Structure formats: C-alpha cells, structure tokens
Amino acid sequence: SLYILKTDMHNKISHSANQIWKSLIENTPKTVKEIAPVLTEVLLELLSHPSTLKRDLASNSIYTLLGKYCDRIAPLLIPQLLQASGADDPDVVEGACVGVKEAIESLPPKSFGQYAEDIVV
C-alpha cells in the first residue's frame, strides 16, 4: 500500500510515496478511514512476515496511523488486531501481538482507556 510506504525508513522511498500520495489523494483522513479495513489486513500480513524490514515497516505505519488519526483509525484497527491474536497460525498471532504492542505505545493515554479492558486480559 502506498500509505504504508509513506512510513518507510528509507527517506527516498518515503518521500516518493508521500509525493505520489499527495498528488492522488485530496483528503487523507477520509481516505485513510475508507481504506482502513484493507490497510489493516496488509499491515497484519507484513507484521506476520519473517522479514524484519516488513515487520518494522508495518509497526511504523501503525505508530503513524494512530499518532495522526487515532480517533478515526483506532476503532477499526485495534479490534482487527485483537481478533487476529486468536488466529490458528502462530505467525499471524505473533504479528497481531506486535501490532497491539505498537498500538498501545502509540495511543494517547486518554484513548488507551477505552481499549484497555479488551487489550489487558
């Protein structure tokens, strides 16, 4: 996903992705909310991948998403991550747990409270 590449650790990649995004997308918050279900699936795939680079890219994306669009994205992203943490595939479970950890670290304290009961088991 182009949005995910915007958070790449390599400046050339993130800069290029950001420029393309800006040229195509008029309203980023609205678009991010619209693509959130698919974006979450892609993030879970990356978090479950054996490549450290892909897992780091997904973690950075979650951090950025929740940092910028917490109110719009957290209600969509966090339940999907928590649901995936109960998957049969151990790689998916690990990826989901990494995603939940990243979400916890990214959420502002005022927002964490509404998810704490679901996250802390």
Side-chain angles (χ1 to χ4, degrees), residues 39-107:
L39 187 58
T40 302
E41 287 178 27
V42 173
L43 289 170
L44 273 168
E45 287 177 27
L46 293 173
L47 287 166
S48 304
H49 198 275
S51 165
T52 303
L53 291 174
K54 290 183 179 185
R55 289 193 310 263
D56 289 347
L57 179 60
S59 291
N60 287 343
S61 294
I62 291 171
Y63 186 85
T64 301
L65 277 168
L66 291 175
K68 290 184 178 181
Y69 311 110
C70 181
D71 294 339
R72 293 173 183 247
I73 296 300
L76 304 169
L77 176 70
I78 293 173
Q80 281 188 271
L81 291 171
L82 291 171
Q83 182 179 2
S85 69
D88 292 331
D89 183 339
D91 292 332
V92 172
V93 172
E94 182 180 352
C97 290
V98 170
V100 169
K101 174 197 142 302
E102 197 62 48
I104 290 169
E105 292 175 355
S106 306
L107 286 172

